[in-house]
Amino acid sequence: PADRWPSTEALFQEIELLQAGLPAVPRLSHIMEDVSKTQWGNAAFDELPEGLERHIDTVVHFRSQLDARSNLPPIEHPTFGREEVIEAVLVLLGVGKRLVTIKGLGGIGKTRLACEVGARMLEEDCSGVWFCDLSEVSTLAGLVHQVAASLDVPLVEGEAADQLLQLGRVLGDRGRCLFVLDNIEQVIGPVNTALESWLDDRTECQFLVTSRQLVGHPQEQVVELGGLSSDAAVLMLMDLVDSDRKQAIGDQEVRNIAEALADAVEGVPLALEIAAAWIGRVSRDVLTADLVGHLEYPAGEDLQNRPERATVQGTLDWSWNLMAPWEQEALAQLSVFRGGFFLESAEEVLDLFSHMDAPWTVAVIESLCDKSLLFARPVGDQPRFGMYESVRNYARLKLEVLGRERAAEAGP
């Protein structure tokens, strides 16, 4: 239409801005409206104005992006026992908090919870929800490209800082939306850099982060995620066991096994998922006594769509490798406590003098809590610290390894 573009070339220039990834959603809306009102919308390529065919893929691509409101991964199973936490996150987002972190141990169900929150946000007055898995990212450049891929936005050429600004403008054009940054603990620094660029008054976008440790941003609001209650864990296990196995061993026996397992794995959803895969394959005694401390999926289980660390061992290896040496040794030494400990007991046990950069005991404990490897519960007027049994078993093995290494270094 001549009243909007004086020439076909002027229209091409608008589309080329889109190809460069610039925020042109308002202009794009006019392009889509006008193109759909003309013969171009349904015309064959040989009927298009000269030169438009080279842009038709971009027009179709961006038209689809206007209609897409989410790329959330599907939620394959019901969410049990998380209603209170989901509501807490929704309340924070509902009152306008821009950055909410769901913090917890690996395998505790942070991703599933974030997806559930996102799905509910889509039912409200939210322009869209986008999900970005950062588990394989370790640099700012990698973060920028992963976010761009999640938003399906082609990046302009240039420095990462320029691309951050571009992505900020794209998020700004999407109105009151939610962006989920999943698994960020190994890329905390770059995430903070990105958030500094994106958390300003020019955008309404809110960010929901999942992490094993705090982001550390001034606007951060934290929701701690622990294990499921026994009742919720039983419901989850019952849901995960397929009908054939229930029929083979009986519903009541499945429930009996589920009740025994729920407490044994302390309601950790990943451990529950793995344990459920073993129900009906080994006896209840083997499951609760021998298997719980070192849960792995059975041989032959379909793990095609699961990340490499989607086992208890794998997720704890991931956390271990992100720790400073003094944190590793401290966690290993604290594994001697069964049932928890007070700060005074930790001060008597911890020996980190070989690590010149190790802080005081209280800072050590705080750091391990920040990384979701310890938890604190109030007892009277002071906190009592503890670790999930799966973490304690893992750390205890690491303590044995460290002891052998020290013995080898000391020599005969």
Side-chain angles (χ1 to χ4, degrees):
D3 61 337
R4 201 176 295 279
W5 295 286
S7 66
T8 302
E9 191 58 37
L11 170 60
F12 294 167
Q13 289 175 1
E14 291 285 310
I15 298 174
E16 283 167 353
L17 287 175
L18 297 174
Q19 287 176 311
L22 296 177
V25 172
R27 294 195 302 276
L28 177 61
S29 300
H30 295 311
I31 294 173
M32 294 296 97
E33 179 183 358
D34 289 330
V35 167
S36 64
K37 288 179 179 177
T38 66
Q39 61 175 343
W40 303 357
N42 299 310
F45 275 12
D46 56 4
E47 298 172 346
L48 293 172
E50 183 181 356
L52 186 60
E53 64 270 14
R54 75 177 186 268
H55 296 295
I56 195 66
D57 288 341
T58 299
V59 173
V60 172
H61 167 75
F62 278 94
R63 171 182 274 173
S64 69
Q65 291 309 298
L66 279 180
D67 297 332
R69 294 182 59 225
S70 175
N71 69 337
L72 279 175
I75 301 173
E76 298 179 358
H77 297 281
T79 302
F80 297 100
R82 297 300 199 195
E83 195 59 40
E84 187 175 330
V85 185
I86 291 171
E87 185 61 28
V89 176
L90 288 171
V91 166
L92 288 171
L93 294 171
V95 298
K97 300 301 181 183
R98 298 289 305 281
L99 173 61
V100 179
T101 297
I102 301 173
K103 175 181 166 291
L105 178 72
I108 206 70
K110 301 182 296 294
T111 300
R112 182 192 295 264
L113 187 76
C115 290
E116 182 67 38
V117 169
R120 297 196 190 188
M121 288 284 286
L122 282 174
E123 298 172 0
E124 304 298 330
D125 183 22
C126 178
S127 62
V129 177
W130 284 272
F131 179 92
C132 181
D133 179 12
L134 296 177
S135 58
E136 303 300 324
V137 172
S138 59
T139 64
L140 180 60
L143 181 149
V144 166
H145 283 83
Q146 191 72 4
V147 168
S150 299
L151 295 171
D152 208 1
V153 171
L155 286 169
V156 295
E157 294 185 7
E159 299 294 327
D162 297 327
Q163 294 170 337
L164 279 177
L165 292 174
Q166 176 202 351
L167 292 172
R169 290 192 293 266
V170 170
L171 290 169
D173 277 339
R174 299 201 177 187
R176 183 177 174 270
C177 63
L178 180 69
F179 197 70
V180 180
L181 295 171
D182 191 41
N183 295 311
I184 71 156
E185 53 274 349
Q186 80 293 343
V187 70
I188 291 287
V191 165
N192 267 293
T193 300
L195 291 173
E196 283 295 330
S197 175
W198 298 338
L199 284 172
D200 57 35
D201 295 335
R202 292 171 295 176
T203 68
E204 296 181 81
C205 181
Q206 295 173 286
F207 295 88
L208 180 60
V209 169
T210 74
S211 179
R212 304 180 195 193
Q213 65 186 81
L214 299 173
V215 175
H217 191 278
Q219 295 192 44
E220 182 178 28
Q221 302 287 316
V222 181
V223 175
E224 297 273 359
L225 191 61
L228 296 172
S229 68
S230 294
D231 290 344
V234 169
L235 289 173
M236 180 176 174
L237 280 166
M238 293 291 291
D239 179 71
L240 289 170
V241 178
D242 59 68
S243 57
D244 289 342
R245 282 187 289 160
K246 286 179 180 175
Q247 185 174 0
I249 63 178
D251 279 352
Q252 187 56 50
E253 178 61 11
V254 172
R255 176 169 288 278
N256 292 340
I257 295 172
E259 289 174 351
L261 285 172
D263 290 332
V265 301
E266 301 174 291
V268 176
L270 175 59
L272 291 168
E273 288 183 15
I274 299 172
W278 284 96
I279 292 177
R281 304 187 188 199
V282 297
S283 70
R284 185 198 315 181
D285 291 342
V286 170
L287 265 173
T288 55
D290 298 333
L291 188 65
V292 166
H294 46 276
L295 282 167
E296 302 289 342
Y297 282 100
E301 191 75 8
D302 182 12
L303 304 179
Q304 182 176 358
N305 295 320
R306 295 184 179 274
E308 184 178 341
R309 62 185 180 284
T311 64
V312 173
Q313 174 77 30
T315 195
L316 291 173
D317 283 343
W318 176 262
S319 291
W320 182 265
N321 292 331
L322 291 175
M323 295 164 68
W326 57 265
E327 291 174 313
Q328 294 175 344
E329 185 144 359
L331 185 70
Q333 292 178 16
L334 292 170
S335 69
V336 300
F337 293 108
R338 177 185 284 274
F341 57 91
F342 291 104
L343 181 60
E344 292 80 1
S345 300
E347 289 174 333
E348 293 174 3
V349 166
L350 283 180
D351 178 5
L352 302 177
F353 288 109
S354 62
H355 300 277
M356 299 299 294
D357 57 340
W360 294 100
T361 299
V362 64
V364 171
I365 299 299
E366 182 179 2
S367 179
L368 294 176
C369 286
D370 285 347
K371 290 180 168 60
S372 304
L373 294 163
L374 293 179
F375 55 80
R377 295 190 175 121
V379 176
D381 59 352
Q382 59 180 318
R384 183 174 178 83
F385 301 96
M387 60 181 80
Y388 288 101
E389 193 63 17
S390 56
V391 176
R392 198 181 77 85
N393 289 334
Y394 179 90
R396 191 173 54 188
L397 293 174
K398 290 294 187 181
L399 182 62
E400 294 175 5
V401 172
L402 290 171
R404 290 195 295 269
E405 290 175 350
R406 288 279 171 82
E409 291 171 0

